[in-house]
Amino acid sequence: MMNVVFTSSISYYKYMMVTIDSLFLYEDPTSIHIYVITERKFPDLQKKISRYIQSRGSKISFIVPNEQLFINFKHTKSSRATHSKFIYSRLFLNKILPKNIDRCILFGADVFIRNSIDEFYNADFEDKAIVACYDTNAFRNIVVHKNLDWEGNAGRGKSFFNDDVVLFNLDKFRELNISENTYNEYIFSYCPYNSTQGLLNWLLCVKNNLVKYLPPYIYNSFPIVHELFEQYGKDNGIIIDPKIVQFVVNRPWDSFFNNSLSYYDEWWNIAKQSLLYPEILEEVLVDQYLNKIKTIPTDRKSTRLNSDLTIQ
């Protein structure tokens, strides 16, 4: 069973469904159990999503973390900590998910899948706590600034990983007894900002060497990184065809999107078939109206969506 986890607020459910549909294109839905860790119950919408997921032969569980989990967590130290507490749930998957789960893959809602992720999901942990992909800036540092250390580039050195695409070794987290007190040590002693990505990187990468890195499966959609990927591929004889894409800025659903954004049409081609496409379209149309921008897909049969991706 492939255990797939999202930590998502209700406002991102519609984008999460695009991620799920893209996953179902390349993995057997009957072998997938989806866990959505969310801030509270939304019965009507969650039932609608559950019925759809079950109709595809997959399983889904919505989990509201116990508030006691965060009672000693000092996440409010930083001015960046503007999110609700639940967003930090990804730090405590070993305590939230069922104890019989030994591994899971975490995706952000701004991710979509372009190929099978079996190799990623079944990777040998080699006694590491996670398997991860390099962050955008880390990849830039590897290619451009080969000797840049952790302190360079605002703390995003060569080994900085992306926490929106991570394979968790939950048994290792349990063995290490990672808890809120573990993170508190780094918040007060080391961490320049206590985002989930910063905390996980300081704990697992900088201080404990508990990260196994994969080749760049992930492609973060920045124009400059696109150029670096292309050049990296040419220099190393590699065809750059990422299996996982994350939109970091200028997401396809943003008002001020870029029509030339890499993989933009592929995402919309999946989105227009998704369960919550009307909600996506409504939000984009509202943003369009407010910002007086007029070039977006207007219906499920939009002819400008001419990607070669086949929707099954």
Side-chain angles (χ1 to χ4, degrees), residues 51-145:
R51 284 195 296 267
Y52 170 75
I53 296 297
Q54 291 164 8
S55 75
R56 299 295 304 273
S58 191
K59 297 179 180 179
I60 187 166
S61 302
F62 291 91
I63 300 175
V64 178
N66 191 321
E67 279 290 322
Q68 293 299 310
L69 185 65
F70 306 101
I71 196 167
N72 295 317
F73 183 45
K74 309 300 182 183
H75 78 296
T76 55
K77 174 177 183 280
S78 168
S79 61
R80 294 175 59 98
T82 57
H83 306 291
S84 61
K85 289 182 179 181
F86 104 92
I87 198 67
Y88 294 93
S89 298
R90 65 182 58 186
L91 304 176
F92 306 107
L93 296 181
N94 54 309
K95 294 180 177 294
I96 295 173
L97 294 174
K99 289 184 170 54
N100 63 326
I101 296 178
D102 61 349
R103 70 172 62 206
C104 68
I105 192 162
L106 174 78
F107 288 135
D110 53 0
V111 166
F112 82 103
I113 312 302
R114 301 182 68 247
N115 210 322
S116 172
I117 60 168
D118 282 348
E119 184 180 358
F120 192 165
Y121 188 82
N122 294 310
D124 185 349
F125 284 112
E126 299 176 6
D127 206 35
K128 302 294 187 181
I130 64 169
V131 178
C133 301
Y134 292 110
D135 179 76
T136 299
N137 287 324
F139 183 81
R140 181 187 295 124
N141 295 336
I142 291 170
V143 176
V144 180
H145 307 292

Side-chain angles (χ1 to χ4, degrees), residues 10-244:
I10 188 173
S11 61
Y12 274 84
Y13 279 10
K14 51 188 173 290
Y15 310 123
M16 175 188 74
M17 292 305 298
V18 180
T19 306
I20 292 171
D21 279 334
S22 69
L23 178 64
F24 284 173
L25 288 173
Y26 301 103
E27 303 294 344
D28 178 7
T30 64
S31 67
I32 296 172
H33 193 145
I34 298 162
Y35 295 88
V36 182
I37 300 172
T38 190
E39 68 266 46
R40 61 187 178 87
K41 293 290 186 182
F42 303 96
D44 292 343
L45 181 55
Q46 290 171 355
K47 285 179 182 177
K48 181 178 180 179
I49 292 172
S50 295
R51 284 195 296 267
Y52 170 75
I53 296 297
Q54 291 164 8
S55 75
R56 299 295 304 273
S58 191
K59 297 179 180 179
I60 187 166
S61 302
F62 291 91
I63 300 175
V64 178
N66 191 321
E67 279 290 322
Q68 293 299 310
L69 185 65
F70 306 101
I71 196 167
N72 295 317
F73 183 45
K74 309 300 182 183
H75 78 296
T76 55
K77 174 177 183 280
S78 168
S79 61
R80 294 175 59 98
T82 57
H83 306 291
S84 61
K85 289 182 179 181
F86 104 92
I87 198 67
Y88 294 93
S89 298
R90 65 182 58 186
L91 304 176
F92 306 107
L93 296 181
N94 54 309
K95 294 180 177 294
I96 295 173
L97 294 174
K99 289 184 170 54
N100 63 326
I101 296 178
D102 61 349
R103 70 172 62 206
C104 68
I105 192 162
L106 174 78
F107 288 135
D110 53 0
V111 166
F112 82 103
I113 312 302
R114 301 182 68 247
N115 210 322
S116 172
I117 60 168
D118 282 348
E119 184 180 358
F120 192 165
Y121 188 82
N122 294 310
D124 185 349
F125 284 112
E126 299 176 6
D127 206 35
K128 302 294 187 181
I130 64 169
V131 178
C133 301
Y134 292 110
D135 179 76
T136 299
N137 287 324
F139 183 81
R140 181 187 295 124
N141 295 336
I142 291 170
V143 176
V144 180
H145 307 292
K146 293 182 172 61
N147 295 319
L148 192 64
D149 61 18
W150 172 260
E151 299 302 330
N153 195 18
R156 296 191 175 200
K158 291 189 296 183
S159 299
F160 201 86
F161 64 84
N162 184 338
D163 80 330
D164 274 323
V165 182
V166 177
L167 181 69
F168 281 82
N169 181 352
L170 296 175
D171 284 345
K172 188 67 176 179
F173 271 72
R174 294 173 185 126
E175 174 191 326
L176 297 171
N177 195 28
I178 292 175
S179 66
E180 63 271 26
N181 290 328
T182 310
Y183 294 112
N184 288 342
E185 175 187 353
Y186 294 103
I187 290 173
F188 287 111
S189 303
Y190 306 107
C191 196
Y193 58 89
N194 63 1
S195 66
T196 56
Q197 182 155 298
L199 286 167
L200 283 170
N201 270 274
W202 275 98
L203 176 64
L204 303 177
C205 171
V206 179
K207 297 301 175 182
N208 292 296
N209 188 27
L210 288 170
V211 183
K212 176 180 177 179
Y213 295 93
L214 287 181
Y217 281 89
I218 188 170
Y219 176 101
N220 288 58
S221 195
F222 276 125
I224 186 173
V225 179
H226 172 76
E227 295 173 7
L228 287 174
F229 261 91
E230 294 298 322
Q231 189 58 51
Y232 178 81
K234 291 175 183 176
D235 292 345
N236 294 277
I238 300 171
I239 297 174
I240 301 299
D241 187 24
K243 296 184 177 183
I244 302 172

